[in-house]
Amino acid sequence: MTTELPRIISVDDHVIEPAHLFAAWLPEKYRDRGPKPLTAGIGELAYVGGKYRITMDPDGPPTDWWIYEDLQFPYKRNIAAVGFSRDEMTLEGITRAQMRPGCWDPAERLKDMDLNHVEASLCFPTFPRFCGQTFAEAHDKEVALACVRAYNDWMVEEWCGDSGGRLIPLCLIPLWDVDLAVAEIRRNAARGVRAVTFSEIPTHLGLPSIHSGHWDPFFRACEETGTVVAMHIGSSSQMPAASPDAPPAVQATLSFNNAMASMTDFLFSGVLVRFPRLKLAYAEGQMGWIPYALERADDVWAEHRAWGGVRDTVPEPPSTYYYRQIFCCFFRDRHGVASLDAVGRDNATFETDYPHVDSTFPHTKEVALDHVRGLDEETVYKLLRGNAIRMLDLDLDLDLDQDLDQDLDLDQDPDQDPGR
Protein backbone atom coordinates (compact mmCIF):
# COMPACT_ATOMS: atom_id res chain seq x y z
CA MET A 1 0.00 0.00 0.00
CA THR A 2 1.30 3.46 -0.87
CA THR A 3 0.19 6.46 1.12
CA GLU A 4 1.55 9.74 2.46
CA LEU A 5 2.99 10.40 5.90
CA PRO A 6 1.37 13.53 7.34
CA ARG A 7 3.35 16.09 9.27
CA ILE A 8 3.16 15.09 12.91
CA ILE A 9 1.51 16.87 15.81
CA SER A 10 3.45 15.92 18.93
CA VAL A 11 1.39 15.99 22.13
CA ASP A 12 4.35 15.53 24.46
CA ASP A 13 7.50 17.59 24.17
CA HIS A 14 9.31 19.72 26.74
CA VAL A 15 10.69 23.22 27.12
CA ILE A 16 13.78 24.31 29.02
CA GLU A 17 12.85 27.65 30.52
CA PRO A 18 15.01 30.61 29.41
CA ALA A 19 17.00 32.39 32.11
CA HIS A 20 15.02 35.61 31.66
CA LEU A 21 11.57 34.07 32.20
CA PHE A 22 10.75 35.32 35.70
CA ALA A 23 12.73 38.54 35.47
CA ALA A 24 10.68 39.43 32.39
CA TRP A 25 7.24 38.07 33.30
CA LEU A 26 6.96 38.14 37.09
CA PRO A 27 5.55 41.42 38.49
CA GLU A 28 8.39 43.56 39.80
CA LYS A 29 7.22 43.43 43.41
CA TYR A 30 7.74 39.65 43.47
CA ARG A 31 11.05 39.37 41.64
CA ASP A 32 13.27 39.43 44.73
CA ARG A 33 11.34 36.45 46.10
CA GLY A 34 10.84 34.64 42.81
CA PRO A 35 13.06 32.11 40.99
CA LYS A 36 16.50 33.35 39.95
CA PRO A 37 18.87 31.82 37.39
CA LEU A 38 22.39 30.89 38.41
CA THR A 39 25.36 29.21 36.73
CA ALA A 40 27.44 27.25 39.25
CA GLY A 41 29.29 23.96 39.63
CA ILE A 42 27.42 20.74 40.39
CA GLY A 43 28.52 17.94 42.68
CA GLU A 44 28.11 14.23 42.12
CA LEU A 45 24.49 13.25 41.63
CA ALA A 46 23.26 10.27 43.64
CA TYR A 47 20.16 8.20 42.89
CA VAL A 48 18.77 6.65 46.07
CA GLY A 49 15.38 4.96 46.47
CA GLY A 50 13.96 6.44 43.30
CA LYS A 51 14.99 10.02 44.09
CA TYR A 52 17.95 12.16 43.03
CA ARG A 53 20.23 13.87 45.53
CA ILE A 54 21.96 16.90 44.08
CA THR A 55 24.47 19.32 45.57
CA MET A 56 26.38 22.38 44.39
CA ASP A 57 30.15 22.13 44.15
CA PRO A 58 32.24 25.20 43.21
CA ASP A 59 34.78 22.84 41.61
CA GLY A 60 32.17 20.83 39.72
CA PRO A 61 31.16 21.14 36.05
CA PRO A 62 29.31 24.40 35.22
CA THR A 63 25.55 23.95 35.37
CA ASP A 64 22.55 26.23 34.97
CA TRP A 65 20.35 26.29 38.07
CA TRP A 66 17.19 27.93 39.35
CA ILE A 67 17.33 29.15 42.94
CA TYR A 68 13.90 29.55 44.53
CA GLU A 69 13.25 29.73 48.30
CA ASP A 70 15.19 26.72 49.64
CA LEU A 71 15.17 24.89 46.29
CA GLN A 72 18.28 24.44 44.15
CA PHE A 73 17.17 23.07 40.76
CA PRO A 74 19.84 22.13 38.16
CA TYR A 75 19.31 21.27 34.52
CA LYS A 76 20.73 17.84 33.70
CA ARG A 77 21.94 16.51 30.39
CA ASN A 78 19.27 13.78 30.15
CA ILE A 79 16.49 16.39 29.96
CA ALA A 80 18.29 18.37 27.24
CA ALA A 81 19.73 15.37 25.44
CA VAL A 82 19.17 16.17 21.77
CA GLY A 83 22.48 16.58 19.98
CA PHE A 84 24.34 14.17 22.27
CA SER A 85 25.14 10.53 21.61
CA ARG A 86 23.37 7.90 23.72
CA ASP A 87 26.48 7.37 25.81
CA GLU A 88 26.65 11.11 26.54
CA MET A 89 23.01 11.36 27.74
CA THR A 90 23.92 11.26 31.41
CA LEU A 91 22.72 12.88 34.64
CA GLU A 92 25.55 15.40 34.56
CA GLY A 93 24.73 19.08 34.84
CA ILE A 94 24.40 21.20 31.71
CA THR A 95 24.23 24.89 30.81
CA ARG A 96 21.92 26.41 28.22
CA ALA A 97 25.00 27.25 26.16
CA GLN A 98 25.75 23.52 25.92
CA MET A 99 22.17 22.64 24.93
CA ARG A 100 20.77 22.61 21.43
CA PRO A 101 19.16 26.10 21.20
CA GLY A 102 15.78 24.58 20.33
CA CYS A 103 15.53 23.48 23.96
CA TRP A 104 14.80 27.05 25.10
CA ASP A 105 14.52 29.30 22.03
CA PRO A 106 11.12 29.13 20.27
CA ALA A 107 12.48 30.22 16.87
CA GLU A 108 15.12 27.49 17.03
CA ARG A 109 12.51 24.98 18.20
CA LEU A 110 10.46 25.64 15.07
CA LYS A 111 13.56 24.96 12.94
CA ASP A 112 14.11 21.66 14.74
CA MET A 113 10.46 20.76 14.26
CA ASP A 114 10.92 21.34 10.52
CA LEU A 115 13.94 19.03 10.56
CA ASN A 116 11.89 16.44 12.44
CA HIS A 117 8.72 16.29 10.29
CA VAL A 118 6.70 17.93 13.09
CA GLU A 119 4.16 20.66 12.43
CA ALA A 120 2.91 21.39 15.96
CA SER A 121 4.05 20.65 19.50
CA LEU A 122 2.63 20.71 23.04
CA CYS A 123 5.41 21.28 25.60
CA PHE A 124 5.47 20.34 29.27
CA PRO A 125 7.48 22.47 31.75
CA THR A 126 10.82 21.54 33.31
CA PHE A 127 11.72 23.80 36.25
CA PRO A 128 8.08 24.03 37.48
CA ARG A 129 8.04 20.22 37.06
CA PHE A 130 5.40 18.43 35.05
CA CYS A 131 2.32 19.90 36.73
CA GLY A 132 3.72 22.83 38.71
CA GLN A 133 4.81 20.94 41.83
CA THR A 134 7.65 23.42 42.34
CA PHE A 135 5.19 26.20 43.07
CA ALA A 136 2.76 23.99 45.00
CA GLU A 137 5.61 23.13 47.40
CA ALA A 138 6.70 26.76 47.89
CA HIS A 139 6.20 28.40 51.28
CA ASP A 140 5.07 31.82 50.05
CA LYS A 141 1.89 31.07 48.13
CA GLU A 142 1.36 34.68 47.08
CA VAL A 143 4.63 34.60 45.17
CA ALA A 144 3.92 31.06 43.98
CA LEU A 145 0.61 32.15 42.45
CA ALA A 146 2.37 35.04 40.72
CA CYS A 147 4.92 32.55 39.38
CA VAL A 148 2.20 30.28 37.99
CA ARG A 149 0.61 33.24 36.22
CA ALA A 150 3.97 34.52 34.99
CA TYR A 151 4.85 31.11 33.58
CA ASN A 152 1.49 30.93 31.80
CA ASP A 153 1.89 34.42 30.38
CA TRP A 154 5.36 33.53 29.09
CA MET A 155 4.06 30.24 27.67
CA VAL A 156 1.17 31.86 25.79
CA GLU A 157 2.75 35.14 24.69
CA GLU A 158 6.46 34.38 24.24
CA TRP A 159 6.98 30.65 23.77
CA CYS A 160 3.90 30.15 21.59
CA GLY A 161 3.13 33.73 20.55
CA ASP A 162 5.02 34.05 17.26
CA SER A 163 4.77 30.42 16.18
CA GLY A 164 1.63 30.74 14.07
CA GLY A 165 -0.10 28.10 16.18
CA ARG A 166 2.69 25.54 15.79
CA LEU A 167 3.67 25.77 19.46
CA ILE A 168 0.56 24.88 21.45
CA PRO A 169 0.21 26.44 24.92
CA LEU A 170 0.10 24.13 27.93
CA CYS A 171 -0.56 26.00 31.17
CA LEU A 172 -0.20 25.41 34.92
CA ILE A 173 -2.68 25.81 37.77
CA PRO A 174 -2.08 26.67 41.44
CA LEU A 175 -2.58 23.13 42.70
CA TRP A 176 -3.01 24.23 46.32
CA ASP A 177 -6.27 26.15 45.78
CA VAL A 178 -9.01 24.75 43.55
CA ASP A 179 -10.85 28.09 43.28
CA LEU A 180 -7.68 29.81 42.09
CA ALA A 181 -7.16 26.89 39.71
CA VAL A 182 -10.62 27.44 38.21
CA ALA A 183 -9.88 31.14 37.78
CA GLU A 184 -6.60 30.35 36.00
CA ILE A 185 -8.32 27.86 33.69
CA ARG A 186 -10.86 30.47 32.68
CA ARG A 187 -8.26 33.23 32.33
CA ASN A 188 -6.22 31.14 29.93
CA ALA A 189 -9.16 29.66 28.05
CA ALA A 190 -10.30 33.21 27.27
CA ARG A 191 -7.08 33.65 25.27
CA GLY A 192 -7.34 30.37 23.43
CA VAL A 193 -5.52 27.91 25.71
CA ARG A 194 -6.94 24.41 25.42
CA ALA A 195 -4.64 22.32 27.65
CA VAL A 196 -3.61 22.31 31.30
CA THR A 197 -1.19 20.01 33.04
CA PHE A 198 -2.34 18.11 36.14
CA SER A 199 -0.99 15.41 38.45
CA GLU A 200 -1.58 11.80 37.45
CA ILE A 201 -1.92 10.89 41.17
CA PRO A 202 -2.49 14.05 43.24
CA THR A 203 -2.49 12.17 46.56
CA HIS A 204 1.24 11.52 46.04
CA LEU A 205 1.64 15.29 46.28
CA GLY A 206 -0.34 15.48 49.52
CA LEU A 207 -3.39 16.77 47.66
CA PRO A 208 -7.00 15.48 47.78
CA SER A 209 -7.85 12.51 45.60
CA ILE A 210 -10.04 12.69 42.52
CA HIS A 211 -12.61 10.57 44.42
CA SER A 212 -13.13 13.22 47.09
CA GLY A 213 -15.08 15.70 44.97
CA HIS A 214 -12.48 18.36 45.78
CA TRP A 215 -11.42 18.69 42.14
CA ASP A 216 -14.93 18.76 40.66
CA PRO A 217 -14.94 22.58 40.17
CA PHE A 218 -11.64 22.22 38.29
CA PHE A 219 -12.99 19.39 36.13
CA ARG A 220 -16.17 21.37 35.48
CA ALA A 221 -14.19 24.41 34.33
CA CYS A 222 -12.08 22.23 32.04
CA GLU A 223 -15.18 20.63 30.57
CA GLU A 224 -16.93 23.95 30.04
CA THR A 225 -13.91 25.57 28.38
CA GLY A 226 -12.82 22.53 26.35
CA THR A 227 -9.52 22.40 28.26
CA VAL A 228 -7.75 19.04 28.06
CA VAL A 229 -6.36 17.70 31.35
CA ALA A 230 -2.86 16.52 30.39
CA MET A 231 -1.02 14.20 32.80
CA HIS A 232 2.63 13.33 32.25
CA ILE A 233 4.37 10.36 33.84
CA GLY A 234 6.19 11.69 36.89
CA SER A 235 3.61 14.41 37.53
CA SER A 236 3.04 12.92 40.96
CA SER A 237 6.73 13.35 41.92
CA GLN A 238 6.93 9.62 42.50
CA MET A 239 7.93 7.12 39.88
CA PRO A 240 7.34 3.36 40.15
CA ALA A 241 10.31 1.43 41.50
CA ALA A 242 11.07 -2.03 42.80
CA SER A 243 14.04 -2.40 45.14
CA PRO A 244 15.16 0.85 46.78
CA ASP A 245 18.68 0.30 45.43
CA ALA A 246 17.56 -0.54 41.88
CA PRO A 247 19.24 1.43 39.09
CA PRO A 248 17.26 4.16 37.28
CA ALA A 249 16.73 1.75 34.37
CA VAL A 250 14.12 -0.09 36.46
CA GLN A 251 12.22 3.12 37.05
CA ALA A 252 12.40 4.02 33.36
CA THR A 253 11.03 0.62 32.34
CA LEU A 254 8.15 0.79 34.81
CA SER A 255 7.23 4.42 34.10
CA PHE A 256 3.93 3.49 32.43
CA ASN A 257 2.64 2.09 35.74
CA ASN A 258 1.64 5.52 37.03
CA ALA A 259 -0.39 6.20 33.90
CA MET A 260 -2.11 2.82 34.29
CA ALA A 261 -2.89 3.47 37.96
CA SER A 262 -4.16 6.97 37.21
CA MET A 263 -6.39 5.87 34.35
CA THR A 264 -7.91 3.10 36.45
CA ASP A 265 -8.50 5.62 39.24
CA PHE A 266 -10.40 7.90 36.86
CA LEU A 267 -12.40 5.06 35.29
CA PHE A 268 -13.81 4.04 38.68
CA SER A 269 -14.06 7.54 40.18
CA GLY A 270 -17.29 8.69 38.58
CA VAL A 271 -15.53 11.85 37.34
CA LEU A 272 -16.04 10.88 33.70
CA VAL A 273 -19.70 10.08 34.43
CA ARG A 274 -20.32 13.49 36.01
CA PHE A 275 -18.35 15.33 33.33
CA PRO A 276 -19.06 13.49 30.08
CA ARG A 277 -17.29 16.04 27.86
CA LEU A 278 -14.12 16.22 29.96
CA LYS A 279 -11.02 15.09 28.04
CA LEU A 280 -8.01 13.44 29.69
CA ALA A 281 -4.64 12.93 27.99
CA TYR A 282 -1.82 10.69 29.23
CA ALA A 283 1.67 11.74 28.14
CA GLU A 284 4.67 9.45 27.71
CA GLY A 285 2.91 6.42 29.17
CA GLN A 286 2.83 4.57 25.84
CA MET A 287 -0.23 2.38 25.14
CA GLY A 288 0.56 -1.33 24.91
CA TRP A 289 -0.74 -1.87 28.45
CA ILE A 290 -4.15 -0.33 27.78
CA PRO A 291 -6.01 -3.32 26.27
CA TYR A 292 -5.50 -5.53 29.31
CA ALA A 293 -6.12 -2.67 31.76
CA LEU A 294 -9.50 -2.06 30.10
CA GLU A 295 -10.32 -5.77 29.97
CA ARG A 296 -9.53 -6.16 33.65
CA ALA A 297 -11.48 -3.02 34.62
CA ASP A 298 -14.53 -4.21 32.68
CA ASP A 299 -14.30 -7.68 34.29
CA VAL A 300 -14.07 -6.15 37.77
CA TRP A 301 -17.05 -3.93 36.99
CA ALA A 302 -19.08 -6.87 35.68
CA GLU A 303 -18.22 -9.31 38.47
CA HIS A 304 -17.38 -7.21 41.51
CA ARG A 305 -19.10 -3.82 41.22
CA ALA A 306 -21.39 -4.35 44.22
CA TRP A 307 -18.76 -5.08 46.85
CA GLY A 308 -16.19 -3.07 44.84
CA GLY A 309 -18.00 0.15 45.66
CA VAL A 310 -18.81 1.32 42.12
CA ARG A 311 -22.28 -0.11 41.48
CA ASP A 312 -23.97 3.27 41.92
CA THR A 313 -21.25 5.57 40.60
CA VAL A 314 -20.16 3.85 37.37
CA PRO A 315 -23.29 2.81 35.45
CA GLU A 316 -21.50 1.45 32.35
CA PRO A 317 -18.39 -0.69 31.77
CA PRO A 318 -15.31 1.46 32.45
CA SER A 319 -13.99 1.05 28.93
CA THR A 320 -17.02 3.05 27.77
CA TYR A 321 -15.58 6.17 29.37
CA TYR A 322 -12.06 5.49 28.12
CA TYR A 323 -13.11 5.31 24.49
CA ARG A 324 -15.29 8.39 24.91
CA GLN A 325 -12.96 10.69 26.85
CA ILE A 326 -9.34 9.52 27.24
CA PHE A 327 -6.36 9.91 24.92
CA CYS A 328 -3.04 8.09 25.14
CA CYS A 329 0.16 8.74 23.23
CA PHE A 330 3.13 6.74 22.00
CA PHE A 331 6.42 7.03 20.17
CA ARG A 332 8.04 3.59 20.60
CA ASP A 333 5.33 1.00 21.11
CA ARG A 334 4.95 -1.60 18.37
CA HIS A 335 2.90 -3.80 20.68
CA GLY A 336 0.43 -0.96 21.18
CA VAL A 337 0.11 -0.42 17.43
CA ALA A 338 -0.45 -4.17 16.95
CA SER A 339 -3.30 -3.90 19.49
CA LEU A 340 -4.71 -0.73 17.99
CA ASP A 341 -8.31 -1.89 17.75
CA ALA A 342 -8.36 -2.42 21.52
CA VAL A 343 -6.32 0.72 22.25
CA GLY A 344 -8.72 2.72 20.08
CA ARG A 345 -7.94 4.20 16.69
CA ASP A 346 -9.58 7.43 17.84
CA ASN A 347 -7.75 7.50 21.19
CA ALA A 348 -4.06 7.26 20.28
CA THR A 349 -1.80 10.22 19.53
CA PHE A 350 1.91 10.60 18.79
CA GLU A 351 4.81 12.34 20.56
CA THR A 352 8.50 13.03 19.99
CA ASP A 353 9.59 13.82 23.60
CA TYR A 354 11.99 16.53 22.41
CA PRO A 355 14.53 17.25 23.98
CA HIS A 356 14.57 14.38 26.50
CA VAL A 357 16.77 11.32 26.38
CA ASP A 358 13.90 9.28 24.88
CA SER A 359 13.35 11.75 22.04
CA THR A 360 13.06 10.46 18.50
CA PHE A 361 14.64 13.68 17.15
CA PRO A 362 15.86 13.98 14.41
CA HIS A 363 14.54 10.64 13.16
CA THR A 364 10.86 10.96 14.09
CA LYS A 365 9.68 10.44 10.51
CA GLU A 366 11.55 7.15 10.32
CA VAL A 367 10.30 6.01 13.73
CA ALA A 368 6.72 6.89 12.87
CA LEU A 369 6.97 5.18 9.50
CA ASP A 370 8.30 2.03 11.13
CA HIS A 371 5.27 1.95 13.46
CA VAL A 372 2.49 2.73 10.99
CA ARG A 373 3.73 0.70 8.04
CA GLY A 374 0.83 -1.36 6.71
CA LEU A 375 -1.93 0.66 8.37
CA ASP A 376 -4.59 2.30 6.23
CA GLU A 377 -4.22 5.96 5.33
CA GLU A 378 -7.08 7.15 7.55
CA THR A 379 -5.63 5.44 10.63
CA VAL A 380 -2.14 6.79 9.93
CA TYR A 381 -3.59 10.28 9.73
CA LYS A 382 -5.50 9.86 12.99
CA LEU A 383 -2.48 8.59 14.92
CA LEU A 384 0.04 11.13 13.71
CA ARG A 385 -2.20 14.15 13.45
CA GLY A 386 -5.98 13.93 13.37
CA ASN A 387 -6.64 12.71 16.91
CA ALA A 388 -4.42 15.47 18.32
CA ILE A 389 -6.30 18.09 16.32
CA ARG A 390 -9.60 16.80 17.67
CA MET A 391 -8.30 16.43 21.23
CA LEU A 392 -6.90 19.96 21.41
CA ASP A 393 -9.49 21.57 19.14
CA LEU A 394 -6.72 22.94 16.96
CA ASP A 395 -7.38 25.31 14.11
CA LEU A 396 -5.95 22.90 11.55
CA ASP A 397 -7.67 21.19 8.65
CA LEU A 398 -8.81 17.66 9.46
CA ASP A 399 -9.18 16.80 5.78
CA LEU A 400 -6.99 13.85 4.82
CA ASP A 401 -5.80 15.66 1.73
CA GLN A 402 -4.29 18.53 3.70
CA ASP A 403 -0.74 18.90 5.07
CA LEU A 404 0.67 15.77 3.48
CA ASP A 405 4.04 16.38 1.98
CA GLN A 406 5.63 13.26 0.59
CA ASP A 407 4.66 9.93 -0.92
CA LEU A 408 6.09 7.08 1.15
CA ASP A 409 5.73 3.36 0.67
CA LEU A 410 4.42 1.95 3.95
CA ASP A 411 5.14 -1.61 2.87
CA GLN A 412 8.80 -1.11 2.05
CA ASP A 413 11.66 -2.79 3.90
CA PRO A 414 12.31 -0.78 7.08
CA ASP A 415 16.02 -0.80 6.25
CA GLN A 416 15.23 1.17 3.10
CA ASP A 417 14.71 4.41 5.02
CA PRO A 418 13.38 7.25 2.83
CA GLY A 419 13.60 9.82 5.60
CA ARG A 420 17.39 9.94 6.02
Side-chain angles (χ1 to χ4, degrees):
M1 166 173 39
T2 300
T3 189
E4 298 166 321
L5 195 68
R7 290 182 75 195
I8 289 161
I9 297 174
S10 174
V11 301
D12 173 33
D13 294 318
H14 301 267
V15 60
I16 303 297
E17 296 79 17
H20 69 260
L21 192 160
F22 295 101
W25 291 95
L26 196 62
E28 186 174 0
K29 67 178 181 178
Y30 297 120
R31 288 177 193 165
D32 286 345
R33 293 179 285 162
K36 295 179 180 61
L38 175 70
T39 302
I42 192 171
E44 290 190 14
L45 187 147
Y47 180 81
V48 181
K51 293 185 180 295
Y52 297 111
R53 294 181 182 172
I54 308 165
T55 57
M56 283 189 180
D57 181 349
D59 298 321
T63 299
D64 277 345
W65 303 71
W66 286 103
I67 307 302
Y68 176 47
E69 294 191 339
D70 54 1
L71 174 67
Q72 298 176 339
F73 181 97
Y75 287 122
K76 303 185 296 294
R77 190 176 289 188
N78 67 321
I79 63 172
V82 290
F84 294 96
S85 72
R86 288 291 167 188
D87 289 334
E88 294 175 311
M89 294 179 182
T90 64
L91 296 175
E92 297 174 52
I94 190 172
T95 64
R96 291 179 186 84
Q98 295 169 317
M99 300 175 191
R100 191 175 179 92
C103 293
W104 49 269
D105 183 317
E108 293 297 322
R109 176 64 66 95
L110 292 175
K111 293 177 185 178
D112 280 353
M113 288 162 59
D114 288 337
L115 290 173
N116 204 31
H117 200 68
V118 173
E119 179 177 3
S121 169
L122 184 78
C123 291
F124 283 82
T126 302
F127 163 64
R129 313 220 300 276
F130 290 144
C131 68
Q133 301 101 300
T134 294
F135 303 125
E137 293 169 1
H139 304 298
D140 188 331
K141 289 299 192 289
E142 180 184 1
V143 176
L145 177 61
C147 287
V148 167
R149 291 172 173 166
Y151 178 91
N152 291 340
D153 292 343
W154 165 81
M155 166 62 63
V156 173
E157 298 181 37
E158 183 177 327
W159 179 252
C160 300
D162 294 329
S163 70
R166 296 185 63 191
L167 294 171
I168 305 163
L170 175 63
C171 286
L172 305 175
I173 56 169
L175 290 162
W176 60 93
D177 188 313
V178 71
D179 293 328
L180 292 174
V182 168
E184 192 63 11
I185 288 292
R186 297 195 183 280
R187 183 176 82 95
N188 291 313
R191 52 182 173 174
V193 175
R194 292 294 178 267
V196 63
T197 183
F198 186 64
S199 175
E200 60 200 351
I201 308 174
T203 53
H204 285 348
L205 303 179
L207 298 168
S209 82
I210 61 168
H211 302 274
S212 67
H214 172 85
W215 297 104
D216 281 8
F218 165 69
F219 295 135
R220 182 175 298 108
C222 290
E223 180 184 55
E224 290 175 355
T225 59
T227 301
V228 178
V229 178
M231 294 172 284
H232 197 284
I233 57 168
S235 57
S236 55
S237 299
Q238 182 174 316
M239 294 293 285
S243 305
D245 55 349
V250 174
Q251 180 189 66
T253 302
L254 295 174
S255 60
F256 71 92
N257 280 9
N258 276 5
M260 182 166 59
S262 176
M263 189 184 80
T264 305
D265 218 22
F266 269 100
L267 290 178
F268 284 114
S269 68
V271 168
L272 301 179
V273 179
R274 295 193 297 278
F275 305 105
R277 296 183 307 281
L278 180 68
K279 291 182 285 188
L280 308 181
Y282 285 96
E284 209 170 319
Q286 309 295 344
M287 61 185 188
W289 52 271
I290 289 176
Y292 177 70
L294 293 178
E295 179 183 346
R296 178 59 182 164
D298 282 356
D299 282 348
V300 168
W301 179 87
E303 304 295 336
H304 310 294
R305 61 180 178 269
W307 73 266
V310 294
R311 180 187 59 196
D312 300 322
T313 56
V314 184
E316 299 180 74
S319 63
T320 305
Y321 309 104
Y322 165 81
Y323 291 119
R324 187 176 74 187
Q325 295 173 249
I326 297 179
F327 294 84
C328 58
C329 71
F330 73 102
F331 58 112
R332 288 192 183 93
D333 191 345
R334 292 183 183 86
H335 182 74
V337 173
S339 306
L340 196 55
D341 284 333
V343 169
R345 292 176 187 246
D346 293 322
N347 300 80
T349 60
F350 199 76
E351 63 167 290
T352 79
D353 199 31
Y354 182 109
H356 282 189
V357 67
D358 252 337
S359 178
T360 53
F361 177 87
H363 305 300
T364 295
K365 182 191 291 185
E366 298 93 307
V367 173
L369 179 63
D370 185 51
H371 279 71
V372 304
R373 183 176 286 106
L375 296 176
D376 65 273
E377 186 173 328
E378 180 181 5
T379 298
V380 171
Y381 188 85
K382 285 182 176 182
L383 297 181
L384 301 184
R385 183 180 180 83
N387 290 340
I389 292 174
R390 183 168 51 86
M391 179 181 87
L392 293 163
D393 193 24
L394 299 179
D395 187 19
L396 295 170
D397 199 333
L398 270 168
D399 182 43
L400 282 176
D401 294 329
Q402 299 295 317
D403 302 299
L404 307 177
D405 73 345
Q406 183 179 355
D407 283 350
L408 295 171
D409 183 356
L410 294 189
D411 287 331
Q412 65 184 295
D413 185 330
D415 292 330
Q416 304 293 316
D417 194 341
R420 292 192 183 278

